Amino acid sequence: MSNTPEAPEKGKDFIRTLIDKDIETGKYNGRVHTRFPPEPNGYLHIGHAKSICLNFGLARDYAGKCNLRFDDTNPVKEDTEYVDSIREDVQWLGFEWDNNFYASDYFEKLYLIAELFIKMGKAYVDHQTAEEIRENRGTLKQPGVNSPYRDRSAEENLSLFRSMRAGEMQDGECILRGKIDMAAANVMLRDPALYRIKHATHHRTGDAWCIYPMYDFTHGLSDAIEGITHSICTLEFENNRPLYNWCVETLMEGLRQPELFGENEAVYSELATLPGFNQRPYQYEFARLNISGTVLSKRKLIQLVQEGHVSGWDDPRMPTISGFRRRGYTPESIRDFCEKIGVAKAAGTTVEYALLEHCVRQDLNERAPRYLGVMDPVKLVIENYPEGQVDEFSMPLHPEDETYGERIVPFSRELWIERADFMEEPPKKFFRMGPGREVRLRFAYYVTCTGYDTDENGTIVEIRATYDPETKGGWSKDGRKVKGTMHWVSAPHALKAEVRNYSNLFTCENPNAPEEGKTFVDYVDPHSLEVRDECWVEPALGEMAPGTNFQFERTGYFCADSKDHKPGEKPVFNRTATLRDSWAKIQKNSK
Ligand code: ATP
Ligand code: MG
């Protein structure tokens, strides 16, 4: 696990506590083997990051292993585009899998396991319609009714199952069901579907199969085949746990009956030697992550993409890992976030989005180089600064870390400053520029406003000032103090840039709980992207590589867009976060 980040200091969560116990009792001979099992039917979101940090983090902390396993049993919704994006996102987060497997790697084995279940009398082919099956399942209060096909002989079931595989039946004509208990209190155990017919092309196996195994059957058996020890999933699978156990235990039982193996003896004998069938995996559930102000469900995210509410899966407003990456979030900040929220057994409360922003601010405050950029420009002319003269100021790229070095920032007679840094009639508490007021231009000079021009609408078009050459570098030798410091860029040297400011994609705190008659997309804020395409920024930014993080002083953290920013062309920057830390404020107020 070369690429894996250092283990952070932490208290033990309940999963680590139980792993410690398993190590103590020698349950797996000290082995810890986890897996992260996404279905490749969409891009990963920040909820998946929690699961990734947990599963890969356990492998790291216990010198164990973690597999990336694609749970690809639903050919209609899955695609290699998603496979590729998931691999990229896991690696970007800083984790390296020990093995990359696919449930589809096991289709042949799973099929033979199903045959074994049939031979054991633990599975049967049911010809009831989907509706009949639903009706006969019963309810929480009422037991189910046995299928009229439940007592078919093993031979008949085997022959039917083989013709399912051979493509001799239509979609929906029948299914293979586990024969468990139609009166079980847990509805999951009322003869669950194990295989269904689906004449569809699979992104990896093509048209080799027209029957596909169901999630519950596939999951536990894949874990066992891979020798997973701790199979960690989210709480909504708690009810599936008995079924997980039934699948694994039924197979273990079947592998002890060689008289059933028949012509496939070699496959079954090999399975019987795998560590997963001697030291079987167990499933544990933890609380899934919910974040305020957004949705974390691939089904909803795919809708946002397909209906064009966002520009794609990596739209910087999306709560996807690729969206956060494009927005300028760092892997460190997301890992830090997952660390801070921890892992709990009980369904948790919703985590404030502000905490995530806090994590990225903290990280970028330490690591992002600083630059000057004017977002809403107005011209400032320094009347007593000689025309044609240029000062070149050497400015530190990071205020607290000299190793970042410096860059040269040109200063000339005509500058751009922020419109919001000037007021015609400034109130007392406004420490920026106003008529007659002296302010500091960061790292450059003190300047005093001498006048301004407006157009016929009263909009300020130009501000005039004089500078004091004795204040070069932004400090006065006579100890004269000014209250305001402003950023600026030299107009003839500046580059015009496009800046994309993002706010919450949704207008409400919980789009998952829409008012009656509405759906979550009704809360999409069409103004959540603000494009400013007339910003002026210092020349050093023109050659910046796509994806680079930086700070515009006094404005926020930004990054060069990974798709639209091209060195040498008009720069395109995404605002990652403003400088205001609302999380720190929430914390302070709650004390
Ligand atoms: P979605 O509902 O978004 O489709 P999913 O659970 O169906 O999510 P999978 O691809 O099956 O997505 O998930 C892979 C792993 O990530 C699973 O172990 C799942 O439990 C975990 N996971 C998914 N969403 C979250 C979440 N919000 N918080 C923590 N873990 C999650
Ligand atoms: Mg799923």
Side-chain angles (χ1 to χ4, degrees), residues 35-52 55 69 71 86 215 219 232-237 286-291 296-301 341:
R35 86 288 170 264
F36 172 63
E39 183 180 356
N41 61 351
Y43 283 56
L44 297 181
H45 52 64
I46 185 82
H48 293 113
K50 177 176 177 180
S51 177
I52 292 170
N55 281 298
R69 183 200 316 138
D71 217 329
I86 290 169
Y215 170 85
H219 203 89
I232 302 163
C233 63
T234 38
L235 268 173
E236 66 272 20
F237 291 100
F286 71 100
R288 65 187 289 124
L289 172 65
N290 293 308
I291 298 189
L296 293 185
S297 138
K298 278 183 283 191
R299 184 179 57 76
K300 288 179 179 157
L301 297 175
I341 57 177

